């Protein structure tokens, strides 16, 4: 790293480029007064109003990446295109992730870990950005069991794409999300983050009741349609770190 990157001048230049008024939201939650609001407005009103340069548009592209490391377990990730952070389908995507690998009752957890005992950690997750997104399945396995684990993950993906989700699974995923929303109301920090994130990225923050309505409105057909669009085999990426096998072995297992 060069001295220029570490300098105070470079940090101030970074702040000037990115911490401009149009990109800053002040969110408050908890105990505050009107005077607190006025003081906050006074302090932030001094920020420059320059419009930050819009970054170059990004896009998901499939790839396969391996890295050898002296680790006890291999860390594996299967990636697929996801959704932009403000997509109206983000509620269906979160329920899909919950059903596939989002909790201890999910398909991947029950199959790969509980039934076959091939790993301790396995889960799915999503990441949304302004213009693209990611849906992924992550697992940590021993080198000698990773082929079986990957085969079971692929089986569960095919089973989901072929048969969709059951009403019981959808209802369970909804209730888990609702519980998370309601429990977050006990934290002023969570309330503040929801308000700020909503204003910055979603065009406004939804209330807890509005969020619950969005999840209740998701149907099994919507989840299946989204899964078939995003989790197509030809869009899959794969990365592994650890005592990895040759690239050809992973391509064979995954059908890449």
């Amino acid at each position: 790293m060069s001295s220029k990157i570490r300098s105070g001048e470079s940090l101030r230049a970074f702040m000037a480029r990115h911490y401009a008024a149009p990109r800053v939201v002040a969110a408050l939650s908890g105990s505050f007064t009107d005077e607190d609001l006025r003081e906050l407005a006074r302090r932030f009103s001094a920020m420059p109003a320059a419009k930050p340069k819009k970054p170059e548009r990004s896009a998901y592209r499939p790839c396969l990446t391996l890295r050898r490391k002296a680790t006890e377990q291999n860390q594996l990730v299967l990636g697929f295109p996801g959704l932009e952070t403000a997509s109206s389908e983000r509620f269906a995507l979160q329920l899909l992730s919950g059903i596939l690998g989002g909790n201890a009752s999910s398909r991947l957890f029950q199959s790969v870990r509980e039934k076959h005992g091939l790993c301790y950690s396995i889960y799915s997750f999503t990441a949304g950005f302004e213009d693209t997104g990611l849906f992924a399945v992550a697992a940590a396995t021993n080198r000698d069991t990773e082929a079986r684990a990957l085969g079971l993950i692929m089986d569960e993906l095919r089973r989901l794409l072929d048969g969709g989700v059951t009403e019981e699974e959808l209802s369970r995923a909804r209730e888990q999300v609702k519980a998370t929303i309601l429990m977050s109301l006990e934290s002023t920090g969570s309330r503040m983050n929801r308000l700020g994130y909503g204003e910055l990225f979603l065009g406004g923050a939804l209330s807890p009741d509005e969020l619950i309505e969005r999840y209740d409105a998701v149907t099994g057909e919507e989840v299946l349609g989204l899964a078939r669009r995003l989790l197509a085999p030809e869009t899959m990426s794969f990365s592994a770190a650890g005592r990895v096998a040759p690239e050809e072995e992973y391509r064979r297992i995954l059908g890449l």
Side-chain angles (χ1 to χ4, degrees):
M1 183 178 292
S2 70
S3 59
K4 181 179 179 181
I5 294 177
R6 294 196 302 264
S7 70
E9 181 183 351
S10 67
L11 292 176
R12 286 188 290 273
F14 181 88
M15 288 190 65
R17 288 195 306 271
H18 298 284
Y19 287 72
R23 298 187 64 176
V24 175
V25 166
L28 289 82
S29 177
S31 177
F32 56 87
T33 65
D34 290 344
E35 181 57 33
D36 294 327
L37 292 174
R38 286 190 289 270
E39 177 63 16
L40 192 66
R42 185 187 69 79
R43 288 176 178 269
F44 277 89
S45 64
M47 293 188 69
K51 187 175 182 180
K53 182 179 178 182
K54 197 170 183 65
E56 182 179 347
R57 185 171 178 81
S58 58
Y60 171 92
R61 291 185 178 86
C63 66
L64 190 150
T65 305
L66 306 177
R67 181 174 181 182
R68 293 190 178 278
K69 295 188 68 175
T71 57
E72 182 178 348
Q73 292 190 316
N74 285 2
Q75 305 294 322
L76 315 173
V77 176
L78 287 76
F80 300 88
L83 299 174
E84 299 88 349
T85 191
S87 170
S88 61
E89 295 180 289
R90 65 187 185 274
F91 308 101
L93 184 63
Q94 187 170 349
L95 295 180
L96 168 62
S97 181
I99 291 168
L100 182 62
N103 53 67
S105 63
S106 65
R107 293 188 180 190
L108 289 173
F109 192 97
Q110 287 296 312
S111 173
V112 184
R113 172 177 158 153
E114 294 298 289
K115 183 176 180 180
H116 296 278
L118 298 178
C119 66
Y120 178 80
S121 174
I122 184 165
Y123 58 93
S124 60
F125 66 92
T126 66
F129 305 96
E130 185 177 11
D131 51 11
T132 189
L134 174 73
F135 182 94
V137 173
T141 72
N142 294 325
R143 171 67 185 92
D144 56 354
T145 61
E146 70 173 3
R148 288 185 60 204
L150 286 171
L152 288 172
I153 292 172
M154 295 301 295
D155 288 344
E156 289 300 331
L157 288 172
R158 283 188 287 265
R159 187 165 72 90
L160 176 64
L161 296 178
D162 289 342
V165 301
T166 68
E167 282 302 317
E168 180 182 358
E169 288 177 317
L170 190 57
S171 177
R172 189 164 57 235
R174 283 199 198 100
E175 293 308 309
Q176 183 183 31
V177 170
K178 291 179 186 179
T180 301
I181 293 171
L182 295 176
M183 289 177 66
S184 72
L185 297 178
E186 299 180 4
S187 165
T188 54
S190 294
R191 289 174 180 252
M192 178 189 67
N193 288 333
R194 175 176 58 82
L195 293 172
Y197 188 88
E199 290 296 330
L200 272 175
F201 302 113
L202 306 177
L206 296 176
S207 70
D209 287 341
E210 289 173 323
L211 286 170
I212 289 173
E213 287 177 7
R214 298 295 197 280
Y215 287 109
D216 280 339
V218 175
T219 66
E221 290 75 16
E222 288 175 318
V223 172
L224 177 57
L226 186 62
R228 286 177 172 170
R229 193 173 87 237
L230 298 181
L231 308 185
E234 61 270 19
T235 69
M236 183 169 61
S237 295
F238 178 74
S239 65
R243 296 181 294 117
V244 296
E247 179 178 328
E248 294 74 20
E249 182 174 335
Y250 293 116
R251 290 191 179 278
R252 177 184 59 79
I253 295 170
L254 302 171
L256 296 175

